[in-house]
Amino acid sequence: MDPQQRLFLEQAYHALEDAGLGGEALSEARCGVYVGAGSGDFSEVLKARGVSGNPLALMGNVPSILAARISYFLNLKGPSLAVDTACSSSLTALGLAVEALRAGTVDVALAGGVCVISTPEFMASMAAGGMLSPTDACHTFDRAADGFVCGEGAVALVLKTLDRALADGDRIHGVVRALGSNQDGRTNGITAPSGTAQQALEEDVYRRCDIDPRGIGYVESHGTGTPLGDPIEVDALTGAFRRFTADRGFCRIGSIKTNIGHTLTAAGLAGVVKVLLMMRHRTIVPSLNFSAPNPRIDLAASPFRVATALEPWEAEPGRPRRAAVA
């Protein structure tokens, strides 16, 4: 079995237990499972050890089974989907879970992501492609940005509609107020981001869901620490915020990738968990490896300032603590 399957199974069960839904509590329930996950490279480990033609190895390395295992073990009757949209996989999984809850097609949802790198070949390929940092650190938004560092992780969140969670007396860590997704279309390379597409998406979400970005106190950015991607992301965020406010420096920004690396298919929800923990403790935690901004990023003229020190997260009068995750 690919370690990704075991680790996600463990995290999913921990999340359900934490929500008071362990054991047989969800048997026969319309509980959807949505997991950001890729095919992984553990099959290469098996091949190197002479394991071939084994049906258990086949099932243990298929993403669809990764998502289905939790449904199988707990007898869940909602949809079970493995989602692979590269770095946005787990956030896309969260979006599908929220949409299903809003549509009433599920009563409870489990959204998650997992990434385990089992062989050196994957890292070697990314290094050869110039993606990895030769200084072994994610210098997000910094002038020293030179690529990212890979991380590994598994994360699972339990979701309900707000009215049901309140009626059930659940401990609520946060509320998903709005979400959206799009594609860049054609850029100067299939991995190159489009600032135009990012800004259009952000503006659409704010307008469609009646959100004033002036009330957003923190942005957990994609922030991989690349000299190309970071300026594009900040420019897009700035453009979207500028449609609503001309204020500067009011919103903190950071990236969990400076702390734990880029966890690829699990990266988006890793950022969500960071935000939820900061909300719980009412504290903004620092984004690491930042000393001076990338010269292509005009932070001084933007709504943002990089969170570089531990600081209280005070809500503005009449407004909740609100964050965006990219």
Side-chain angles (χ1 to χ4, degrees), residues 15 72 162 174 213 287-288 320:
Y72 172 77
L162 181 57
S287 192
L288 306 183

Side-chain angles (χ1 to χ4, degrees), residues 18-38:
D18 184 67
L21 297 171
E24 298 294 315
L26 288 177
S27 182
E28 301 284 346
R30 293 195 311 164
C31 178
V33 179
Y34 308 86
V35 191

Side-chain angles (χ1 to χ4, degrees), residues 141-164:
F141 307 132
D142 193 81
R143 64 185 174 187
D146 57 2
F148 60 83
V149 175
C150 283
E152 300 173 294
V155 56
L157 300 176
V158 178
L159 297 102
K160 294 181 181 179
T161 59
L162 181 57
D163 57 352
R164 177 162 181 169

Side-chain angles (χ1 to χ4, degrees), residues 279-319:
M279 286 180 169
R280 177 195 295 179
H281 296 286
R282 302 180 180 185
T283 302
I284 301 290
V285 299
S287 192
L288 306 183
N289 308 321
F290 182 84
S291 57
N294 184 322
R296 297 180 180 178
I297 301 176
D298 190 359
L299 284 172
S302 80
F304 309 105
R305 56 185 173 90
V306 178
T308 57
L310 204 67
E311 58 181 299
W313 188 357
E314 302 294 345
E316 294 188 15
R319 285 177 165 169

